[in-house]
Amino acid sequence: MARNVVITQKYLEKGHTQMEVDSVHSVIERKLKNREIFLPSQYATITKEARKAPSPYEVITPDYTFFKNYGIKDYLIYESIRLGRGAGDHCVTDIKALRYNPNGTIDYKLQFSDDFVPLPRRPKKITSLINSTPSLYESRQPISKIKYDHLQELKNVIPKDCHTFYDNLPFK
Protein backbone atom coordinates (compact mmCIF):
# COMPACT_ATOMS: atom_id res chain seq x y z
CA MET A 1 0.00 0.00 0.00
CA ALA A 2 2.80 2.41 0.87
CA ARG A 3 4.37 1.87 -2.57
CA ASN A 4 1.03 2.02 -4.44
CA VAL A 5 1.47 -1.48 -5.93
CA VAL A 6 -1.30 -3.80 -7.13
CA ILE A 7 -0.62 -7.47 -6.33
CA THR A 8 -2.43 -10.29 -8.13
CA GLN A 9 -2.39 -13.71 -6.45
CA LYS A 10 -3.48 -16.65 -8.60
CA TYR A 11 -4.33 -20.10 -7.28
CA LEU A 12 -3.38 -23.22 -9.20
CA GLU A 13 -6.02 -25.48 -10.67
CA LYS A 14 -5.65 -29.23 -10.41
CA GLY A 15 -3.81 -30.58 -13.44
CA HIS A 16 -2.56 -27.11 -14.42
CA THR A 17 0.43 -26.70 -12.18
CA GLN A 18 3.01 -25.19 -14.51
CA MET A 19 3.93 -21.64 -13.61
CA GLU A 20 6.53 -19.15 -14.83
CA VAL A 21 8.48 -19.60 -11.63
CA ASP A 22 8.97 -23.32 -12.43
CA SER A 23 11.72 -22.40 -14.90
CA VAL A 24 13.49 -20.38 -12.18
CA HIS A 25 13.40 -23.35 -9.82
CA SER A 26 14.65 -25.64 -12.57
CA VAL A 27 17.66 -23.42 -13.29
CA ILE A 28 18.53 -23.25 -9.58
CA GLU A 29 18.11 -27.03 -9.14
CA ARG A 30 20.49 -27.69 -12.06
CA LYS A 31 23.08 -25.40 -10.45
CA LEU A 32 22.66 -27.24 -7.13
CA LYS A 33 23.23 -30.65 -8.72
CA ASN A 34 26.39 -32.38 -7.48
CA ARG A 35 27.24 -29.47 -5.14
CA GLU A 36 28.02 -29.86 -1.47
CA ILE A 37 26.05 -27.46 0.74
CA PHE A 38 27.22 -26.90 4.29
CA LEU A 39 25.61 -23.56 5.16
CA PRO A 40 22.22 -21.99 4.36
CA SER A 41 24.02 -18.93 2.96
CA GLN A 42 25.45 -21.13 0.20
CA TYR A 43 21.93 -21.47 -1.24
CA ALA A 44 21.82 -17.69 -1.75
CA THR A 45 25.19 -17.73 -3.52
CA ILE A 46 24.23 -20.63 -5.79
CA THR A 47 20.88 -18.99 -6.59
CA LYS A 48 22.70 -15.82 -7.71
CA GLU A 49 25.11 -17.90 -9.82
CA ALA A 50 22.28 -19.86 -11.44
CA ARG A 51 21.53 -17.13 -14.00
CA LYS A 52 24.02 -14.85 -15.72
CA ALA A 53 21.82 -13.09 -18.33
CA PRO A 54 20.03 -10.80 -18.37
CA SER A 55 21.28 -10.51 -14.78
CA PRO A 56 21.76 -12.77 -11.75
CA TYR A 57 18.66 -13.56 -9.71
CA GLU A 58 18.10 -11.12 -6.87
CA VAL A 59 18.32 -12.92 -3.54
CA ILE A 60 16.92 -11.46 -0.35
CA THR A 61 17.96 -13.33 2.79
CA PRO A 62 15.46 -12.57 5.55
CA ASP A 63 16.21 -12.92 9.22
CA TYR A 64 13.78 -13.04 12.15
CA THR A 65 13.14 -9.26 11.92
CA PHE A 66 11.62 -9.66 8.43
CA PHE A 67 8.55 -11.54 9.70
CA LYS A 68 5.60 -9.47 10.90
CA ASN A 69 2.65 -10.56 13.01
CA TYR A 70 -0.28 -10.10 10.64
CA GLY A 71 -2.51 -12.29 12.79
CA ILE A 72 -3.41 -9.49 15.19
CA LYS A 73 -7.04 -8.55 14.44
CA ASP A 74 -6.40 -4.82 14.98
CA TYR A 75 -4.05 -4.90 12.00
CA LEU A 76 -6.40 -6.76 9.63
CA ILE A 77 -8.20 -4.78 6.96
CA TYR A 78 -10.50 -7.76 6.39
CA GLU A 79 -11.36 -10.20 9.15
CA SER A 80 -12.16 -12.84 6.51
CA ILE A 81 -12.00 -13.34 2.75
CA ARG A 82 -14.93 -15.73 2.84
CA LEU A 83 -17.32 -14.81 0.03
CA GLY A 84 -20.59 -15.95 1.59
CA ARG A 85 -22.05 -16.36 5.02
CA GLY A 86 -24.34 -19.37 4.72
CA ALA A 87 -24.49 -22.95 3.48
CA GLY A 88 -24.27 -23.21 -0.29
CA ASP A 89 -22.53 -19.84 -0.69
CA HIS A 90 -19.16 -19.67 -2.40
CA CYS A 91 -16.25 -20.21 -0.04
CA VAL A 92 -12.55 -19.41 -0.01
CA THR A 93 -11.62 -22.60 -1.88
CA ASP A 94 -13.69 -21.41 -4.87
CA ILE A 95 -11.44 -18.37 -5.38
CA LYS A 96 -9.15 -18.55 -8.42
CA ALA A 97 -7.46 -15.15 -8.05
CA LEU A 98 -7.19 -12.26 -5.61
CA ARG A 99 -6.11 -8.72 -6.39
CA TYR A 100 -4.82 -6.56 -3.54
CA ASN A 101 -5.29 -2.88 -4.36
CA PRO A 102 -3.17 0.00 -2.97
CA ASN A 103 -6.23 1.46 -1.23
CA GLY A 104 -6.52 -1.71 0.90
CA THR A 105 -9.47 -3.30 -0.92
CA ILE A 106 -9.39 -6.84 -2.28
CA ASP A 107 -11.02 -8.07 -5.49
CA TYR A 108 -11.55 -11.71 -6.44
CA LYS A 109 -12.32 -14.03 -9.36
CA LEU A 110 -14.11 -17.37 -9.26
CA GLN A 111 -12.90 -18.22 -12.80
CA PHE A 112 -9.74 -16.97 -14.50
CA SER A 113 -11.86 -15.72 -17.42
CA ASP A 114 -14.07 -13.62 -15.08
CA ASP A 115 -13.54 -9.96 -14.32
CA PHE A 116 -12.36 -9.05 -10.84
CA VAL A 117 -15.19 -8.32 -8.39
CA PRO A 118 -14.85 -6.52 -5.03
CA LEU A 119 -14.77 -8.81 -2.00
CA PRO A 120 -18.23 -8.70 -0.39
CA ARG A 121 -16.81 -7.61 2.96
CA ARG A 122 -16.41 -4.14 4.35
CA PRO A 123 -12.72 -3.25 4.82
CA LYS A 124 -11.56 -1.49 7.97
CA LYS A 125 -9.58 1.69 7.54
CA ILE A 126 -6.21 1.04 9.16
CA THR A 127 -3.75 2.71 6.78
CA SER A 128 -1.99 4.45 9.66
CA LEU A 129 -1.04 1.04 11.10
CA ILE A 130 0.45 -0.52 7.94
CA ASN A 131 4.02 0.56 8.68
CA SER A 132 3.83 -0.28 12.38
CA THR A 133 2.88 -3.97 12.20
CA PRO A 134 4.68 -5.64 15.10
CA SER A 135 7.37 -8.22 14.55
CA LEU A 136 6.40 -11.86 14.80
CA TYR A 137 9.62 -12.79 16.61
CA GLU A 138 11.72 -10.95 19.19
CA SER A 139 14.87 -12.96 18.44
CA ARG A 140 16.19 -15.87 16.38
CA GLN A 141 13.95 -18.89 16.79
CA PRO A 142 15.58 -21.76 18.67
CA ILE A 143 15.66 -25.29 17.33
CA SER A 144 15.06 -28.29 19.56
CA LYS A 145 17.95 -29.63 21.63
CA ILE A 146 17.72 -32.96 19.77
CA LYS A 147 18.09 -31.24 16.38
CA TYR A 148 20.96 -29.16 17.74
CA ASP A 149 22.72 -32.30 18.98
CA HIS A 150 22.22 -34.06 15.63
CA LEU A 151 23.68 -31.06 13.79
CA GLN A 152 26.67 -31.12 16.15
CA GLU A 153 27.25 -34.77 15.24
CA LEU A 154 27.25 -33.82 11.54
CA LYS A 155 30.19 -31.48 12.10
CA ASN A 156 32.43 -34.53 11.59
CA VAL A 157 31.69 -34.30 7.84
CA ILE A 158 31.46 -30.51 7.56
CA PRO A 159 34.50 -28.28 6.92
CA LYS A 160 35.86 -26.69 10.08
CA ASP A 161 35.30 -23.13 8.82
CA CYS A 162 31.52 -23.88 8.89
CA HIS A 163 31.44 -25.14 12.49
CA THR A 164 30.88 -21.70 14.03
CA PHE A 165 27.50 -21.42 12.29
CA TYR A 166 26.34 -24.69 13.87
CA ASP A 167 27.86 -23.85 17.26
CA ASN A 168 25.93 -20.57 17.38
CA LEU A 169 22.47 -21.97 16.59
CA PRO A 170 20.01 -21.12 19.38
CA PHE A 171 18.31 -24.15 20.90
CA LYS A 172 15.95 -25.00 23.73
Side-chain angles (χ1 to χ4, degrees), residues 145-159:
K145 176 72 165 109
I146 291 171
K147 185 176 284 189
Y148 179 84
D149 291 341
H150 287 162
L151 289 169
Q152 296 305 309
E153 291 172 19
L154 285 175
K155 289 190 329 188
N156 295 331
V157 295
I158 294 174

Side-chain angles (χ1 to χ4, degrees), residues 10 14 18 22 27 32 39 42 53 64 67 69-70 73 84-85 101 131 134 138 144-145 163:
K10 297 178 182 176
K14 287 182 183 178
Q18 185 159 350
D22 289 346
V27 169
L32 282 167
L39 299 169
Q42 290 177 286
Y64 73 91
F67 300 94
N69 189 352
Y70 293 108
K73 286 209 179 250
R85 296 187 185 270
N101 301 305
N131 294 324
E138 300 286 323
S144 70
K145 176 72 165 109
H163 289 195

